Amino acid sequence: MKKLTTSILLALFSATIFMPAHVEASWLSKTWKKIEKSWNEAGQQSSTNGTTSTSSSTIRLPQRSEYPSRYPSGQEVGHHLGGAERTIAGVYPNATYEEIRRILGNPTEEVHHEYRRDGEQRAFMRYGGIMYSSIYGQIERAGIIEVTNRDATTYRGIAVGDSLEKVYEAYGRPVRIYDDNTWFYGVFIWQSDYVYGIKFINDGEKVTKIIVL
């Protein structure tokens, strides 16, 4: 650009020296104004193109309305997350509490008992913002993992507080979006308790809780 500017100025200077005396003295200033106008227009066009390019690269997030409201009874939907995808802090769902203690040490809080009166149970081990809890009937194992702060991330690096755009970039399109806008990745069988994967609870913009089951 500098070379081009220098060439133009030299050309203008030469033209000024050798131009006939009857040519208007304002020719140089008029020509220079035209050049400046041309540069300004080119700069504005470049700026506009840059804005358009940025806008077009914005991620369009999937919406609940794009998913079926129901599936055929018993249909399996989605795909299993392989490898360590369902681990949090190195612990898989359904690990025993002994295994969790061996991996993470003593918990921040621990409860193991059942409410016999109505059949409910309460069993969990908590490590800061990570909770390993039992599913009913399996009090010795933690079938559900919940993360409520940034003490841990998923295998792909998503933490509470991250944007849905970041979740989309890491995991792609959700297998299902629930009525409360929870994003689910994994596999489930319609109208059954068969659900294995990761849920990202969110406020419409950012992740507020992560549940692995």
Side-chain angles (χ1 to χ4, degrees), residues 59-212:
I59 297 174
R60 181 190 176 282
L61 297 178
Q63 303 298 315
R64 172 68 187 90
S65 59
E66 299 170 1
Y67 289 78
S69 58
R70 58 183 297 106
Y71 297 87
S73 182
Q75 178 176 331
E76 183 174 308
V77 182
H79 54 274
H80 288 277
L81 296 177
E85 291 279 11
R86 291 168 59 233
T87 61
I88 297 292
V91 176
Y92 285 87
N94 212 38
T96 66
Y97 291 108
E98 291 180 1
E99 291 172 335
I100 296 172
R101 189 186 303 277
R102 188 164 59 248
I103 294 171
L104 299 178
N106 292 326
T108 306
E109 183 182 4
E110 182 175 7
V111 173
H112 295 283
H113 64 261
E114 290 184 280
Y115 294 109
R116 297 291 185 180
R117 183 179 58 185
D118 54 10
E120 292 184 0
Q121 69 179 19
R122 181 175 174 80
F124 67 85
M125 292 175 75
R126 182 171 66 84
Y127 293 82
I130 313 170
M131 181 88 77
Y132 301 92
S133 305
S134 290
I135 297 175
Y136 179 72
Q138 299 181 12
I139 198 169
E140 299 301 324
R141 294 179 178 273
I144 298 177
I145 307 173
E146 297 184 22
V147 184
T148 57
N149 63 16
R150 298 183 72 84
D151 281 348
T153 70
T154 66
Y155 185 75
R156 300 191 190 186
I158 300 300
V160 169
D162 287 344
S163 67
L164 289 179
E165 284 83 359
K166 187 172 181 179
V167 176
Y168 188 82
E169 290 174 349
Y171 288 89
R173 183 179 176 81
V175 168
R176 184 182 181 193
I177 298 181
Y178 291 83
D179 290 340
D180 63 356
N181 203 51
T182 293
W183 285 22
F184 173 75
Y185 295 89
V187 63
F188 66 91
I189 294 179
W190 183 249
Q191 294 184 329
S192 79
D193 295 331
Y194 187 93
V195 181
Y196 293 94
I198 303 175
K199 292 182 178 180
F200 293 100
I201 314 299
N202 63 84
D203 60 8
E205 295 182 358
K206 296 183 180 298
V207 176
T208 57
K209 182 189 288 188
I210 298 171
I211 300 177
V212 184

Side-chain angles (χ1 to χ4, degrees), residues 26-76:
S26 61
W27 177 87
L28 178 60
S29 60
K30 287 180 179 179
T31 304
W32 183 248
K33 287 180 180 179
K34 289 180 181 180
I35 294 172
E36 285 185 326
K37 182 180 179 182
S38 176
W39 284 348
N40 289 335
E41 290 176 349
Q44 290 174 0
Q45 181 65 35
S46 174
S47 176
T48 301
N49 291 341
T51 302
T52 302
S53 174
T54 302
S55 177
S56 64
S57 65
T58 301
I59 297 174
R60 181 190 176 282
L61 297 178
Q63 303 298 315
R64 172 68 187 90
S65 59
E66 299 170 1
Y67 289 78
S69 58
R70 58 183 297 106
Y71 297 87
S73 182
Q75 178 176 331
E76 183 174 308

